[in-house]
Structure formats: structure tokens, C-alpha cells
Amino acid sequence: MRLLDTNSCIYVFTGVYPALIARMADQVAGSLFISSITYAELAYGTMQGKPPASDALAAFVAEVGILPFDEAAARPYAAMPFRRGSFDRLIAAHALSLDAALVSRNLADFKDIPGLRVEDWTR
């Protein structure tokens, strides 16, 4: 199981990293998800006129499941080194609670989170 970080999703919509899109296409159906936190970030961008367009977002989430951020995800978040205003921390906690790898290009943002597996598919 893999959880896509918000930046990875935006790269899909903008087509900036074809390697990411190709790697996603090679995954077993039902193995890629986004956090409800990621969905909120993407939907906010859509409302602000940024990618993705609302129809593209709807099609994307029809293919990639949205998992709810719950109490199990809140526990690892509470134990992380604090960073003000960081949705990345919530998404990382969600990945930890699911024992999922996080697909992100922003490796540096997650380097101080013990036990988190981060994969960069843009290379």
C-alpha cells in the first residue's frame, strides 16, 4: 500500500514528471490511496483556480481511494517533532498508521520522522 503526497498528485495533474505517472500506472489496482488531508489540499487548490480542475479531481479520486484521517492516524502525529502549519506531518502520520509508504518528491520534509518510508517516483 502506498499513500500519495499532495505534491505527487499535483505532478500527475500537471504532467511534470512522466516517470511518476508511469510508475503509478504500473501499480496493482487498489494499492494507491490519498489521505483525506491530501484531498482537502487538492480541493482547496481547485477552489482557488489551481490544478486540478474539479472534473479531473473527481476522475482521479474515482481511481485512487481516499482514506479518512482517524484516531489511529492522530496518534503518530502527536508523537512527531512539531512544525507549525504542516499538512505534511498529518499525511506522514496517516501513512505511519497504515504502515504505508509515502510517495513524495519532498524527501527532506520527512527525513526527521522515524519509521516513515518515503519513495520518490519522479526519478
Side-chain angles (χ1 to χ4, degrees):
M1 172 190 295
R2 291 185 171 77
L3 205 60
L4 301 170
D5 189 19
T6 308
N7 70 358
S8 293
C9 296
I10 292 169
Y11 297 147
V12 168
F13 296 117
T14 60
V16 173
Y17 293 103
L20 169 67
I21 295 168
R23 183 108 182 245
M24 287 175 64
D26 286 342
Q27 300 306 302
V28 174
S31 65
L32 291 178
F33 298 91
I34 62 170
S35 171
S36 56
I37 304 298
T38 296
Y39 180 76
E41 287 189 286
L42 293 169
Y44 178 78
T46 296
M47 296 300 291
Q48 301 303 309
K50 298 178 182 177
S54 59
D55 58 338
L57 180 57
F60 182 74
V61 298
E63 294 294 321
V64 176
I66 302 173
L67 299 176
F69 187 91
D70 58 10
E71 181 182 349
R75 286 190 194 110
Y77 175 77
M80 286 181 190
F82 180 74
R83 282 195 193 163
R84 184 176 305 277
S86 177
F87 290 116
D88 287 342
R89 295 300 217 215
L90 293 168
I91 296 165
H94 202 172
L96 284 169
S97 74
L98 298 166
D99 193 30
L102 182 63
V103 178
S104 178
R105 186 168 187 270
N106 296 337
L107 302 179
D109 291 348
F110 302 105
K111 67 181 178 191
D112 65 336
I113 301 175
L116 180 65
R117 297 183 325 271
V118 184
E119 300 174 358
D120 180 357
W121 289 2
T122 63
R123 299 171 196 216

